[in-house]
Amino acid sequence: VQLQASGGGLVQAGGTLRLSCVASGTIISINDMEWYRQAPGNQRELVASISSGGRLNHVDSVKGRFTISRDNAKNTAYLQMTSLKPEDTGVYYCHANVVTGSLRLEYSYWGQGTQVTVSS
C-alpha cells in the first residue's frame, strides 16, 4: 500500500489550495484518513481527520478555512484550504489506517508530504 500526496505549492495569503492523497495497492478498506503538517522547527501536528463513515475533525486553527473530505470509491482524501495564512506554511502529510492482507489487519501508512508555502 502506498499513499501519494499532491497539490501543494506557493500561494499568496488569502489564497486557496486543494491537497489530494491517493491510496493504492491491495486495499480491503480504509478507516481514518488524516492530514498532518510540519512547519520548520516544529513537530508534526494533526490538521484534520475523517473516518470511513464521514465523521470530521479539524484543529481549531483551521476551522472555517480548511475542509477535509474523502471519496471512498477512489481511496482518496482531500484537504480544501481557503483563506490561507503564512502560518499555514509547512509540509503536509497524509496518513491512513488501511486494512490489507490475507489476515485483514489494519496498518498505518504515511504519504511522502507536499510543500505548502503561503507568502504574506
Side-chain angles (χ1 to χ4, degrees), residues 8-9 19 36-40 85-93 113-118:
L19 306 183
Y36 287 75
R37 67 184 176 192
Q38 186 167 19
K85 304 175 181 180
E87 51 263 43
D88 295 319
T89 294
V91 180
Y92 283 69
Y93 298 90
T114 184
Q115 177 70 44
V116 172
T117 303
V118 184

Side-chain angles (χ1 to χ4, degrees), residues 26 28 100-105:
T26 305
I28 296 172
T100 185
S102 59
L103 298 180
R104 304 175 73 90
L105 298 176

Side-chain angles (χ1 to χ4, degrees):
V1 174
Q2 292 185 328
L3 298 184
Q4 180 71 42
S6 62
L10 172 63
V11 64
Q12 289 188 334
T16 298
L17 284 173
R18 188 193 195 205
L19 306 183
S20 298
C21 174
V22 181
S24 61
T26 305
I27 296 170
I28 296 172
S29 63
I30 304 176
N31 293 324
D32 288 356
M33 300 188 79
E34 300 155 335
W35 286 98
Y36 287 75
R37 67 184 176 192
Q38 186 167 19
N42 290 355
Q43 291 186 334
R44 192 173 298 187
E45 63 170 351
L46 177 65
V47 175
S49 65
I50 183 168
S51 71
S52 57
R55 184 179 67 251
L56 309 179
N57 179 57
H58 298 83
V59 67
D60 286 346
S61 61
V62 307
K63 282 181 179 178
R65 300 189 299 120
F66 292 10
T67 303
I68 190 171
S69 62
R70 65 190 286 172
D71 184 333
N72 291 329
K74 297 181 179 179
N75 292 331
T76 300
Y78 305 97
L79 186 66
Q80 181 72 33
M81 305 187 295
T82 65
S83 302
L84 280 160
K85 304 175 181 180
E87 51 263 43
D88 295 319
T89 294
V91 180
Y92 283 69
Y93 298 90
C94 60
H95 173 265
N97 294 315
V98 181
V99 179
T100 185
S102 59
L103 298 180
R104 304 175 73 90
L105 298 176
E106 181 183 272
Y107 295 92
S108 173
Y109 293 93
W110 289 91
Q112 85 287 5
T114 184
Q115 177 70 44
V116 172
T117 303
V118 184
S119 63
S120 57

